[in-house]
């Protein structure tokens, strides 16, 4: 199998943020969105003390990245899982903590490039959009069964689509006679439904709808809402969590989770910070870092990236250290 080489976004900066946590012997890095393994390959090559655990829900991505990283032997372990299962994955490998966790959110280049997966609106293909094509309903299933109200919510919330209600009504009307099956069916509807002036601005008129359906089919925000607190709990002292987001809702969720983890929880008028009341984590990045103009020119996917990182500076409290997975969610 040929493994395509796509440029990972902000690769050097991500490795630099991870490095302080992964320079000691026996350190463990978890790549929660392994994809084609670009970030993991850089960690394996540049940080020789680190062991890498790669998680992905996509069996094809796991197969391709495992082939790509085979030369690193037992320093690399691939795991088929959704990344909110991080605590179970870590426990199943006999670990009580890890040293770094990384998320590169959204759809991977490989998934966009494989026509049959149905992620790309530029190619006519079955409307699938599942990151794990072995389980769950497809985008076509969602379009053919959801109510107009639910479709409106999905398009408005996940795609920020101004014409969400108009599109939803038209989807429901058309599917009564011809159920949706391929991306061309949906793109045709969108061209017919979105007014011409709006189609001429803001990129391809299908972009927002396809993004929204993908996020809904894969339950991406709910998974992330569970996974970020879980990643914070699973790192040891000196450990870091690094996240690349490409959607405002994702970045807002990450920002809120990091703010909660680094907040000083004492009355504002207290003249001193009691011992043990200091935050257990600190922000490593100031706000969200973005790609520079040069990187965006070389890799257009970097245009919308927002990069954030936190580091654990104190052990977790005894009450939270051994929480079951349901509790950290």
């Amino acid at each position: 199998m040929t493994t395509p080489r796509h440029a990972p976004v902000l690769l050097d900066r991500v490795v630099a943020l991870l490095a302080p946590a992964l320079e000691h012997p026996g350190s463990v890095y978890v790549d929660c969105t392994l994809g084609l393994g670009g970030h993991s390959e850089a960690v394996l090559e540049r940080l020789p003390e680190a062991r890498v655990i790669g998680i992905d829900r996509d069996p094809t991505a796991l197969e391709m990245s495992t082939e790509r990283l085979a030369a690193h032997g037992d320093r690399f372990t691939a795991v088929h899982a959704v990344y909110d299962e991080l605590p179970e994955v870590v426990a199943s490998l006999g670990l009580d903590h890890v040293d770094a966790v990384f998320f590169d959110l959204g759809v991977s280049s490989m998934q966009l490039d494989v026509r049959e997966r149905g992620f790309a609106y530029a190619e006519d293909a079955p409307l699938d959009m599942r990151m794990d094509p072995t389980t769950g309903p497809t985008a076509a299933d969602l379009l053919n069964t959801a109510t107009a109200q639910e479709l409106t919510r999905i398009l408005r919330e996940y795609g920020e689509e101004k014409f969400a209600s108009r599109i939803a009504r038209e989807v429901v009307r058309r599917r009564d006679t011809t159920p949706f099956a391929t991306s061309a069916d949906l793109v045709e509807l969108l061209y017919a439904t979105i007014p011409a002036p709006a189609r001429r601005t803001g990129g391809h008129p299908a972009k927002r709808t396809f993004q929204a359906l993908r996020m809904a089919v894969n339950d991406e925000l709910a998974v992330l809402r569970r996974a970020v607190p879980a990643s914070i709990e699973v790192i040891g002292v000196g450990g870091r969590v690094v996240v690349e987001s490409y959607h405002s809702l994702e970045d807002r969720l990450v920002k809120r989770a990091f703010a909660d983890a680094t907040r000083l929880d004492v009355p504002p008028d207290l003249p001193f910070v009691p011992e043990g009341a200091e935050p257990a984590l600190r922000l490593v990045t100031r706000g969200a870092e973005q790609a520079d103009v040069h990187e965006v020119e070389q890799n257009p996917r970097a245009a919308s990236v927002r990069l954030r990182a936190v580091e654990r500076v104190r052990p977790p409290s005894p009450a939270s250290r051994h929480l079951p997975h349901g509790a950290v969610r």
Side-chain angles (χ1 to χ4, degrees):
M1 181 184 299
T2 301
T3 305
R5 291 292 195 265
H6 293 288
V9 173
L10 291 175
L11 179 62
D12 292 340
R13 180 55 177 153
V14 166
V15 174
L17 287 169
L18 294 168
L22 297 172
E23 292 175 332
H24 62 275
S27 55
V28 178
Y29 161 71
V30 181
D31 188 337
C32 284
T33 48
L34 179 63
L36 290 174
H39 287 100
S40 283
E41 183 177 61
V43 168
L44 287 163
E45 291 176 348
R46 303 183 198 180
L47 301 170
E49 303 291 352
R51 169 189 172 191
V52 173
I53 300 167
I55 297 174
D56 208 294
R57 65 169 79 179
D58 187 335
T60 302
L62 284 173
E63 182 182 354
M64 297 173 78
S65 56
T66 297
E67 179 183 305
R68 177 178 187 171
L69 303 176
H72 298 280
D74 60 7
R75 287 181 62 208
F76 172 70
T77 302
V79 180
H80 182 217
V82 184
Y83 54 69
D84 65 341
E85 298 172 301
L86 174 63
E88 289 90 343
V89 171
V90 170
S92 72
L93 295 172
L95 302 168
D96 60 5
H97 75 280
V98 299
D99 300 284
V101 178
F102 174 64
F103 299 87
D104 183 12
L105 302 174
V107 66
S108 75
S109 299
M110 181 273 293
Q111 289 163 334
L112 285 172
D113 289 349
V114 178
R115 174 182 164 277
E116 292 77 14
R117 302 296 294 273
F119 286 101
Y121 41 78
E123 297 271 357
D124 187 21
L127 271 171
D128 193 315
M129 298 194 194
R130 293 171 298 172
M131 291 180 177
D132 182 350
T134 67
T135 184
T138 67
D141 295 331
L142 180 61
L143 284 171
N144 291 325
T145 60
T147 65
Q149 183 179 13
E150 177 64 6
L151 286 172
T152 299
R153 184 194 66 78
I154 288 169
L155 298 179
R156 187 172 287 150
E157 182 176 343
Y158 299 157
E160 299 176 295
E161 174 56 71
K162 291 187 297 184
F163 302 100
S165 60
R166 185 185 298 192
I167 293 168
R169 287 195 304 270
E170 188 63 16
V171 165
V172 171
R173 187 187 70 79
R174 288 204 186 183
R175 77 189 187 195
D176 286 343
T177 54
T178 308
F180 288 87
T182 71
S183 50
D185 299 335
L186 180 56
V187 170
E188 179 188 357
L189 177 143
L190 294 169
Y191 268 101
T193 307
I194 297 173
R199 293 201 307 268
R200 290 193 285 267
T201 61
H204 196 288
K207 177 181 178 180
R208 292 176 295 277
T209 293
F210 272 65
Q211 172 183 278
L213 291 173
R214 186 207 81 217
M215 293 180 74
V217 164
N218 296 289
D219 202 18
E220 291 177 39
L221 288 183
V223 170
L224 184 64
R225 194 173 288 112
R226 296 187 291 267
V228 176
S231 69
I232 290 169
E233 292 295 332
V234 84
I235 55 170
V237 175
R240 291 186 169 191
V241 178
V242 179
V243 185
E244 289 185 318
S245 307
Y246 301 86
H247 187 285
S248 60
L249 291 175
E250 293 172 341
D251 182 55
R252 199 175 308 143
L253 192 156
V254 174
K255 178 182 178 180
R256 187 178 303 126
F258 282 4
D260 289 345
T262 57
R263 182 176 294 116
L264 183 63
D265 191 18
V266 297
D269 57 349
L270 201 67
F272 65 95
V273 178
E275 185 176 351
E278 304 92 343
L281 290 98
R282 72 175 184 92
L283 293 171
V284 179
T285 52
R286 176 176 290 185
E289 296 185 4
Q290 298 175 247
D292 60 25
V293 173
H294 175 71
E295 173 149 5
V296 173
E297 288 175 349
Q298 298 297 314
N299 186 3
R301 183 170 180 252
S304 59
V305 72
R306 299 294 183 270
L307 176 66
R308 298 181 187 271
V310 290
E311 178 183 72
R312 180 173 292 284
V313 293
R314 294 176 53 246
S317 65
S320 66
R321 178 178 288 276
H322 298 294
L323 285 174
H325 188 197
V328 298
R329 292 185 179 194

